[in-house]
Amino acid sequence: MAMRAETLNNAVIVVAGASSGFGRGAALKLGTMGAKVVVAARRKAMLDDVVAEIEAQGGSAIAVEADVSEPSDVARIADAAISRFGRIDAWVNNVGVGAIGFFWDIPIEDHARVIDVNIKGLIYGAHAALRQFRSQGYGSLVNVGSIDSEIPLALQNTYAATKAAVLSLGRTLNEELRLAKEDGIRVGTIMPWAVDTPWWYHAANYTGRQPRMAMMDDPQIVIDAIVTACLHPVEEQPVGIKAKGFNLSHHLFPDLTERISAETSKHQSDRGGPAPVTTGAIYRPMDDGLTIEGGLRERMREEDAASSSSTR
């Protein structure tokens, strides 16, 4: 039987959702560590930039334009990886779009699109990855969930439901792999707290306010967790002190934790500046938001400073 890679050097890793945020950061870090990276997303020009950055540092990467909600596109990602590198050591399912607002204010079409990407798209990636892993005898599947996987967050209703499904799928897959005696294959779910990435601006927004959340984390801690999980996936991995704390709190005091998180989400949303209704990037990709960070923390500091000055 072929053996699991022990280091990231020369490991072949697929990163879906690699044009910005966690995916971009993870792909770049993996490239600098010697991995052969297959980056995938809807925005081909941005993927080409990621490939160029990796190659400029002596790494190897290819880009595949793909909408993960289309199973044929996901199949092309796997085919491209096998054609170019001959195997896949790890597959990072960093897929997720969101719609922010009260459930009844969000059009049903937007709810359906969130499900198409966040559940169906992740299932397509997991299916392609596991079939390849079983054929070669090893592999790591890294699904990017959220603290919403454990704690349903108000104003992120269907998004939270999809992230709960991500965690449930990962748990089930690990049990099925155990039953099938596939000891070389593991599935991990990354569960970050709210993080300052372009996701917030790419989400559909029906709150009438600029998106924001308390105590936002820096994306680097999530990027580091994703990279580590490519070799050592953990079934349930809250990332950062806040995610770990709320995860524990929800296990001990579920109703209280849900109430606190809901009040926090609504309070933060109400403090945002005015914003028009938007479908964000859930249907069509945006030309902006190409960075790893989203700039929300800086904007929130400015809003808070302005609010403080006006009340003096």
Side-chain angles (χ1 to χ4, degrees), residues 3-87:
M3 298 298 293
R4 169 190 297 273
E6 295 184 357
T7 70
L8 291 171
N9 187 45
N10 288 321
V12 179
I13 302 179
V14 171
V15 182
S19 60
S20 65
F22 303 150
R24 187 184 189 100
L28 292 173
K29 183 170 182 178
L30 287 163
T32 64
M33 298 177 76
K36 303 179 189 303
V37 189
V38 180
V39 292
R42 293 177 296 173
R43 300 182 289 182
K44 182 62 161 58
M46 292 69 170
L47 294 178
D48 290 340
D49 290 342
V50 175
V51 170
E53 283 193 55
I54 292 172
E55 291 181 340
Q57 298 182 58
S60 179
I62 60 172
V64 181
E65 183 175 6
D67 181 338
V68 296
S69 69
E70 296 292 338
S72 59
D73 282 14
V74 176
R76 284 195 298 103
I77 299 171
D79 290 344
I82 299 303
S83 176
R84 176 67 178 271
F85 299 117
R87 67 185 193 279

Side-chain angles (χ1 to χ4, degrees), residues 78-244:
D79 290 344
I82 299 303
S83 176
R84 176 67 178 271
F85 299 117
R87 67 185 193 279
I88 301 172
D89 295 299
W91 185 299
V92 178
N93 251 339
N94 175 52
V95 300
V97 296
I100 305 170
F102 283 111
F103 181 79
W104 45 85
D105 290 334
I106 300 171
I108 196 65
E109 294 83 3
D110 290 11
H111 288 296
R113 177 60 177 168
V114 171
I115 290 170
D116 283 345
V117 174
N118 297 9
I119 298 182
K120 291 182 179 179
L122 185 127
I123 286 173
Y124 299 151
H127 195 264
L130 289 177
R131 287 174 71 88
Q132 176 60 29
F133 294 162
R134 293 197 70 218
S135 73
Q136 64 193 28
Y138 70 95
S140 297
L141 174 61
V142 182
N143 293 327
V144 179
S146 166
I147 197 60
D148 286 21
S149 299
E150 172 66 29
I151 307 165
L153 193 62
L155 305 182
Q156 294 183 19
N157 33 76
T158 297
Y159 175 81
T162 64
K163 290 303 181 178
V166 171
L167 180 57
S168 181
L169 178 66
R171 289 167 169 165
T172 303
L173 292 177
N174 277 322
E175 290 305 315
E176 291 184 3
L177 290 165
R178 179 183 61 81
L179 292 172
K181 297 182 172 26
E182 295 284 8
D183 298 335
I185 305 172
R186 295 194 294 255
V187 182
T189 301
I190 304 292
M191 297 166 55
W193 177 256
V195 184
D196 185 1
T197 71
W199 179 90
W200 298 86
Y201 294 119
H202 292 167
N205 187 349
Y206 294 89
T207 64
R209 297 286 178 179
Q210 293 280 1
R212 52 180 289 158
M213 187 57 185
M215 306 178 291
M216 277 197 168
D217 277 331
D218 188 277
Q220 192 60 49
I221 65 170
V222 184
I223 291 166
D224 292 344
I226 291 171
V227 170
T228 300
C230 288
L231 289 179
H232 306 291
V234 177
E235 182 171 87
E236 181 177 336
Q237 187 176 352
V239 179
I241 293 173
K242 292 180 283 292
K244 292 175 182 176

Side-chain angles (χ1 to χ4, degrees), residues 196-303:
D196 185 1
T197 71
W199 179 90
W200 298 86
Y201 294 119
H202 292 167
N205 187 349
Y206 294 89
T207 64
R209 297 286 178 179
Q210 293 280 1
R212 52 180 289 158
M213 187 57 185
M215 306 178 291
M216 277 197 168
D217 277 331
D218 188 277
Q220 192 60 49
I221 65 170
V222 184
I223 291 166
D224 292 344
I226 291 171
V227 170
T228 300
C230 288
L231 289 179
H232 306 291
V234 177
E235 182 171 87
E236 181 177 336
Q237 187 176 352
V239 179
I241 293 173
K242 292 180 283 292
K244 292 175 182 176
F246 269 83
N247 185 61
L248 176 61
S249 175
H250 193 247
H251 280 90
L252 297 174
F253 312 105
D255 292 341
L256 177 61
T257 304
E258 289 169 15
R259 183 179 293 272
I260 291 172
S261 66
E263 294 291 345
T264 301
S265 180
K266 182 62 165 61
H267 175 67
Q268 286 294 315
S269 178
D270 289 345
R271 295 175 67 184
V277 166
T278 176
T279 58
I282 69 172
Y283 296 106
R284 290 172 295 278
M286 292 179 171
D287 292 332
D288 58 358
L290 319 178
T291 56
I292 296 171
E293 291 193 25
L296 273 79
R297 288 172 294 178
E298 179 60 31
R299 195 205 78 219
M300 288 165 58
R301 283 191 289 268
E302 293 173 358
E303 288 174 346

